[in-house]
Amino acid sequence: QVQLVESGGGLVQAGGSLRLSCAASGRTFSNYVMGWFRQAPGKEREFVAAITSSGARTNYADSVKGRFTISRDNAKNTMLLQMNSLKPEDTAVYYCAAGQVLPGTRPYHYTYWGQGTQVTVSS
């Protein structure tokens, strides 16, 4: 089992920044591909970003490329999502996830999920 807890969400104006954190506990964090997904009301959960177990490779949805940065610290069992130049369409509940399937762009690539953190971007 891997337990995941997200934090760092909140309300921000368009153009602002937020940094989300995902703290992991349980099994060896460095064994897992980690990802961020988001889900807006009435919409399906969508891929945001993923990072390989070593952190050597990352992948982003086109909608966030150049604005968001995913990173991880295996020594601290933590993954981050730095979100800059936020837009109202980024408003959603953001989830972190752990899995062992690449490329990590689909929800079914992941086994463990956090409870989510709300991000609201006002115009």
Side-chain angles (χ1 to χ4, degrees):
Q1 286 280 357
V2 175
Q3 292 78 41
L4 302 171
V5 179
E6 302 95 337
S7 62
L11 173 64
V12 64
Q13 288 188 330
S17 299
L18 283 174
R19 188 175 72 171
L20 304 185
S21 296
C22 176
S25 61
R27 292 190 176 183
T28 306
F29 178 71
S30 59
N31 287 345
Y32 291 90
V33 175
M34 297 296 296
W36 287 100
F37 286 75
R38 65 188 183 187
Q39 189 166 18
K43 295 188 176 181
E44 293 187 354
R45 192 167 296 191
E46 67 171 353
F47 169 72
V48 174
I51 188 166
T52 55
S53 56
S54 68
R57 285 183 290 156
T58 57
N59 194 3
Y60 296 93
D62 287 343
S63 59
V64 307
K65 204 170 291 184
R67 300 188 297 123
F68 290 11
T69 303
I70 189 171
S71 62
R72 68 189 294 163
D73 185 337
N74 285 345
K76 296 182 178 180
N77 290 356
T78 300
M79 176 178 64
L80 301 176
L81 185 69
Q82 178 66 43
M83 305 187 296
N84 297 329
S85 302
L86 283 161
K87 304 175 181 179
E89 52 263 44
D90 295 318
T91 296
V93 177
Y94 283 70
Y95 298 90
C96 69
Q100 294 181 307
V101 177
L102 289 173
T105 57
R106 304 289 186 179
Y108 64 81
H109 291 161
Y110 294 90
T111 305
Y112 304 104
W113 292 84
Q115 294 298 308
T117 185
Q118 176 71 47
V119 171
T120 303
V121 184
S122 63
S123 56

